[in-house]
Amino acid sequence: LLLLLGDLGVGKTTLCRTFVQLLERKTRAALVGNSMLSPEDLLRLLLQDLGAIGREDAHSGSLVGASRADLLQMLDQFLVRLRATKDGAVLIIDEAHSLPAATVDQIVALAVRDSNREKVLQIVLAGQPSVVGGPALPRALDERLATRARLLPLERDECERYVHHRLTIAGGMSVTFSTRALDVIYGLSGGVAR
């Protein structure tokens, strides 16, 4: 488990999406943007996004009515196939600070389930530091965190490069800002990209 913390607007969602795009070239990745999912919906989404089941199957009556035990069994079978081919998978949950307690418990169960074997499923939780898990992370989750990272606001030079990058993407390569204007942008934004 990896925990990525960052205040509102520093770029957690952008980082998660970029990470998924990079990973999909090498490994299977699932990005959960709606953290208000039930444990069963999380498992369905995970199975679908990792390619264990097709989109049609995910919305068919048989899978919609599948129990948590059935979904876990399908996930276990899929992870065994990945392990046999030496592949891996990553589950990234954005807005993790909004996860319902039952879904947090399911994530802990997934981490425990895969820790008894060679690691196939990596889990990344991204959320706001002031509210992730309330005042403190649930102990079972906290104990399983392998890495904690903090995404900070941009520094002044990073802010300038970001402005130039966004202008280039928008096709405004001929637009320039004075050093003073960039200082004002940085001062007003506090280095927060949003």
Side-chain angles (χ1 to χ4, degrees):
L1 281 170
L2 180 139
L3 178 63
L4 172 66
L5 299 174
D7 291 323
L8 186 65
V10 297
K12 295 179 302 297
T13 299
T14 300
L15 181 61
C16 289
R17 288 182 181 150
T18 302
F19 189 51
V20 166
Q21 289 173 349
L22 293 172
L23 279 175
E24 285 181 336
R25 297 178 192 156
K26 300 175 186 175
T27 191
R28 296 171 187 259
L31 175 61
V32 175
N34 174 9
S35 61
M36 295 307 293
L37 296 172
S38 70
E40 293 80 11
D41 287 339
L42 173 69
L43 292 169
R44 283 185 196 92
L45 185 66
L46 180 58
L47 288 164
Q48 178 183 314
D49 285 0
L50 293 180
I53 57 171
R55 291 195 187 277
E56 301 78 31
D57 294 332
H59 299 293
S60 73
S62 62
L63 192 59
V64 170
S67 69
R68 190 182 311 187
D70 293 337
L71 295 167
L72 285 168
Q73 183 178 12
M74 291 191 321
L75 181 61
D76 280 344
Q77 290 168 350
F78 178 70
L79 294 176
V80 166
R81 289 194 306 271
L82 286 181
R83 187 175 294 109
T85 59
K86 306 254 191 261
D87 284 332
V90 178
L91 168 61
I92 302 170
I93 301 177
D94 195 13
E95 302 294 330
H97 55 273
S98 299
L99 287 168
T103 306
V104 171
D105 292 343
Q106 183 61 67
I107 292 166
V108 171
L110 288 173
V112 170
R113 195 177 200 97
D114 198 43
S115 68
N116 297 330
R117 306 175 279 239
E118 181 182 328
K119 278 282 180 215
V120 175
L121 180 64
Q122 302 294 321
I123 302 171
V124 178
L125 303 173
Q128 296 175 28
S130 58
V131 289
V132 171
L137 290 172
R139 184 171 173 221
L141 183 60
D142 190 51
E143 290 173 348
R144 287 180 172 64
L145 286 175
T147 304
R148 296 168 195 261
R150 179 80 187 250
L151 190 59
L152 299 172
L154 300 173
E155 296 290 334
R156 166 58 179 81
D157 62 320
E158 294 169 323
C159 183
E160 182 174 348
R161 289 194 314 265
Y162 182 74
V163 167
H164 290 300
H165 170 73
R166 297 305 303 174
L167 285 171
T168 300
I169 288 174
M173 293 173 51
S174 62
V175 176
T176 58
F177 286 96
S178 69
T179 300
R180 176 74 183 121
L182 288 166
D183 288 341
V184 171
I185 291 169
Y186 177 69
L188 291 174
S189 70
V192 176
R194 183 177 287 177

